[in-house]
Amino acid sequence: MTRLAVFASGNGSNAQRIIEYFSSHPSVTVDLVLCNKPDAFVITRAEQLGVSIRVFDKATFYGTSEIPDFLIENRINYLILAGFLWLIPENLLSAYPGRIINIHPALLPKYGGKGMYGMKVHEAVIAAREPESGITIHFVDENYDEGRIIFQAKCQVDAGETPESLAEKIHALEYSYFAGVVEGIVTGD
Ligand code: GAR
């Protein structure tokens, strides 16, 4: 079995899709959800789906090896960042080289970097009058949103588009593609 841990900071709709997608998979399981916010809705989702949860704070994440140790103890093979907003520390990158995958709600390298997450991305895309936006699935390195791109999909930004309507289009793309792209990487297909 290939074991995944999903990291999420908030709502967790992508985390839920990924858990559901792999729930009856023959060779891939989602064993853990890790979250940096004790009141995040992703925790409720994971509980309802029967997936173990670990919540951690900044001091633990950046100041100790508890999280990489915990993941290794649990024989986790890949880390999937699904709406996770903190930079990945060096000890986690070196424990999982080339094995951390993130989804970003824009066409990187545009509209990435520190502070560019969620609705802020969609607001910036609309303010710049971009004709299109999309999703980027990429490997994670030591900088925000800069690792090697695995997959992108695009959507139009229509006249009168709002950050909310664009977020809906982006979420639809994420739900269509993220789990399948992860499957391709972790199964080597
Ligand atoms: C998703 O759109 C994801 O691409 C984005 O946060 C949203 C989380 O939604 N990630 C980032 O902005 C990372 N920089 P969800 O919690 O409902 O899955």
Side-chain angles (χ1 to χ4, degrees), residues 8-58:
S9 298
N11 180 27
S13 66
N14 278 287
Q16 176 164 350
R17 290 300 186 293
I18 286 178
I19 292 165
E20 286 170 347
Y21 185 90
F22 290 111
S23 62
S24 54
H25 196 280
S27 63
V28 181
T29 64
V30 177
D31 279 8
L32 295 172
V33 166
L34 287 94
C35 180
N36 59 309
K37 278 185 77 182
D39 58 349
F41 190 58
V42 67
I43 294 171
T44 306
R45 293 184 193 264
E47 277 167 1
Q48 283 168 356
L49 293 160
V51 178
S52 301
I53 300 146
R54 165 118 189 207
V55 178
F56 54 85
D57 60 17
K58 222 165 217 171

Side-chain angles (χ1 to χ4, degrees), residues 111 114-126 163:
Y111 304 103
K114 191 170 165 55
M116 271 292 170
Y117 58 86
M119 293 304 276
K120 294 187 185 186
V121 176
H122 309 316
E123 284 161 11
V125 166
I126 289 170

Side-chain angles (χ1 to χ4, degrees), residues 70-97:
F70 174 72
L71 293 165
I72 290 162
E73 272 162 29
N74 280 277
R75 293 178 293 141
I76 296 296
N77 304 108
Y78 285 87
L79 313 184
I80 311 302
L81 313 188
F84 182 68
L85 304 183
W86 285 359
L87 196 64
I88 298 299
E90 178 51 41
N91 62 3
L92 206 43
L93 287 168
S94 55
Y96 286 91

